[in-house]
Amino acid sequence: MKIRVFIDQAKKKKGESSWCVELTLGSKRKRKYLPTREKAYAYKKEIEKPFLQGTDEDAPIDKIRLSVIFKKHIEQLVERGARPVTVESRANKCSTFVKRMKDPPLAEITRDVFRSYILVNGQTEKYRLSIRSEVGAMLNWAFEKNYTTTNYYKITWDSYLEDEKLVGILTPQEAKDLMDAMPDGYKVAMALLLFAGIRPYEVPRIKWSNIYLDKKLIIIEGKQAKTRRNRKLTDLPDNLIDWIRKYKNKSMGLVGPINTYRVFAKKRKQACKDVGILYPHDGARHSFATYGYFLPGGKPWAMRCMGHNDQSTYDQYYLNTGVGKEESIEYFSI
């Protein structure tokens, strides 16, 4: 950026405002004419201020502030077509970062500073990883766009060591008790989780028009899926079809089984409390994967329904768990 103040002699001869303030940004040039020297230098000071304070996106690289980077990054995320939930999650964590850091110049955010922020503000290992993912995405975007010379890839710390735990699932009896305890308006949604292995946040996006009961088929479109890729759930179990037929007209959703996941999750939590079930993390999806292995389609069918591509991961968590074909038959007979 370069700002120059001078008298335009041609304008002066014509009796027009001749004091010129010329702003040059790269190959772009902008001029503004004012009547007096005092007004020209006051205007120069006015337009210099955002650059000197780093609140303008064209400010020098050593002065540009976090808030400017944050605003540009979120705008770019929206332009790329990111889902609203993705934008909201990124914006929440990044705006908190800007606020807690007191909006300093980006140049002051070193790798060590970012690591310290993660460790201080991440109360659990899971939340630390979430901060690194969301805020790190913004900072690395700034690096790729040449707003900073520091990259923030592979920030590490001495994490708390934990023993791996077995995946938690519901027993067939627990699944039955849960289905019975769920309010009628949410039974279809619960059945889709338990007997089709659909991801929790995909259920509110499913439309009735994509559920073909006679063909035992559900189509999850790219705009509904976590992976943004189309997925077709075929040869669905008879008990799922029965649950949908019986409770479809009682469902709470306007165009699908439910409108929002949050309300559904509260209803599920209350149902578990009512029947004394300790619901495991992602319990319905893990249960489907474990029992689904023994259905006629086997592992390929279960993986396709879930949208899983990694066979080794499926084997690691869902095979040889002590569950057999008898439990599977009981589960898919609920």
Side-chain angles (χ1 to χ4, degrees):
M1 180 197 72
K2 182 179 179 182
I3 301 177
R4 187 165 67 104
V5 180
F6 61 95
I7 296 177
D8 188 318
Q9 296 298 335
K11 292 274 186 180
K12 186 177 181 180
K13 288 180 180 179
K14 295 179 181 178
E16 300 175 357
S17 296
S18 57
W19 281 94
C20 178
V21 181
E22 183 181 80
L23 171 63
T24 304
L25 287 171
S27 60
K28 296 180 180 179
R29 188 174 65 178
K30 182 180 179 181
R31 287 182 173 182
K32 183 177 179 67
Y33 292 93
L34 297 115
T36 66
R37 181 180 185 279
E38 289 74 18
K39 289 186 177 181
Y41 277 94
Y43 179 68
K44 176 179 181 289
K45 186 176 181 180
E46 178 186 332
I47 62 175
E48 272 182 334
K49 189 175 180 180
F51 293 95
L52 296 177
Q53 293 183 344
T55 56
D56 189 284
E57 64 183 82
D58 293 312
I61 194 171
D62 62 326
K63 295 185 180 297
I64 194 164
R65 293 188 175 271
L66 270 180
S67 57
V68 177
I69 297 300
F70 166 66
K71 182 175 180 291
K72 292 288 292 182
H73 177 61
I74 296 301
E75 288 175 352
Q76 186 262 356
L77 206 59
V78 172
E79 289 172 1
R80 284 181 54 207
R83 285 183 174 142
V85 65
T86 301
V87 175
E88 181 182 5
S89 175
R90 182 73 51 81
N92 285 342
K93 286 191 174 61
C94 290
S95 61
T96 299
F97 177 64
V98 173
K99 183 177 180 180
R100 287 179 176 171
M101 295 302 296
K102 299 183 179 179
D103 194 18
L106 178 59
E108 294 181 8
I109 306 299
T110 64
R111 290 175 61 88
D112 286 340
V113 168
F114 184 36
R115 181 185 294 106
S116 296
Y117 175 85
I118 293 171
L119 295 175
V120 169
N121 294 280
Q123 302 304 314
T124 65
E125 191 66 19
K126 183 177 180 181
Y127 195 65
R128 288 175 178 178
L129 293 172
S130 178
I131 294 174
R132 184 179 69 176
S133 175
E134 298 284 12
V135 180
M138 177 185 74
L139 295 175
N140 282 316
W141 173 85
F143 169 70
E144 292 167 1
K145 296 297 182 181
N146 298 316
Y147 285 113
T148 176
T149 56
T150 302
N151 79 73
Y152 304 86
Y153 296 108
K154 298 182 179 179
I155 298 290
T156 59
W157 56 86
D158 293 330
S159 58
Y160 180 71
L161 301 177
E162 294 181 331
D163 296 323
E164 184 180 24
K165 299 178 182 178
L166 293 174
V167 166
I169 65 172
L170 299 170
T171 66
Q173 185 60 51
E174 287 175 333
K176 181 181 183 304
D177 292 344
L178 177 56
M179 284 300 303
D180 291 340
M182 287 294 291
D184 289 353
Y186 298 92
K187 287 186 187 294
V188 171
M190 194 69 244
L192 289 170
L193 294 174
L194 287 168
F195 308 123
I198 296 173
R199 294 182 178 92
Y201 283 96
E202 291 177 341
V203 174
R205 302 169 186 162
I206 295 175
K207 298 179 180 178
W208 293 121
S209 58
N210 285 348
I211 299 178
Y212 302 87
L213 296 180
D214 293 338
K215 299 178 181 179
K216 297 184 178 180
L217 166 70
I218 295 176
I219 298 176
I220 299 179
E221 300 179 41
K223 61 184 178 181
Q224 300 163 344
K226 174 184 176 182
T227 60
R228 308 192 75 144
R229 301 181 65 181
N230 296 327
R231 189 162 91 250
K232 298 177 181 177
L233 287 61
T234 59
D235 304 314
L236 294 170
D238 292 334
N239 72 323
L240 171 61
I241 303 302
D242 292 341
W243 281 108
I244 296 175
R245 288 189 191 280
K246 185 174 181 180
Y247 290 99
K248 176 181 177 180
N249 292 334
K250 298 179 181 180
S251 293
M252 299 302 295
L254 297 176
V255 295
I258 54 175
N259 293 323
T260 64
Y261 177 73
R262 184 171 296 179
V263 175
F264 164 77
K266 289 181 180 179
K267 300 295 183 181
R268 183 190 62 199
K269 183 177 181 180
Q270 184 59 49
C272 287
K273 184 178 180 180
D274 292 342
V275 294
I277 294 174
L278 184 61
Y279 190 82
H281 172 68
D282 222 354
R285 186 168 164 83
H286 292 324
S287 299
F288 171 83
T290 303
Y291 296 114
Y293 174 77
F294 297 96
L295 287 189
K299 179 167 63 176
W301 171 78
M303 289 180 63
R304 187 173 69 252
C305 287
M306 298 175 70
H308 258 309
N309 294 319
D310 192 333
Q311 182 171 309
S312 62
T313 299
Y314 183 94
D315 292 348
Q316 176 185 355
Y317 292 117
Y318 305 123
L319 299 192
N320 303 313
T321 60
V323 170
K325 190 172 183 178
E326 291 183 359
E327 291 94 339
S328 175
I329 292 173
E330 184 181 356
Y331 181 83
F332 286 103
S333 298
I334 295 171

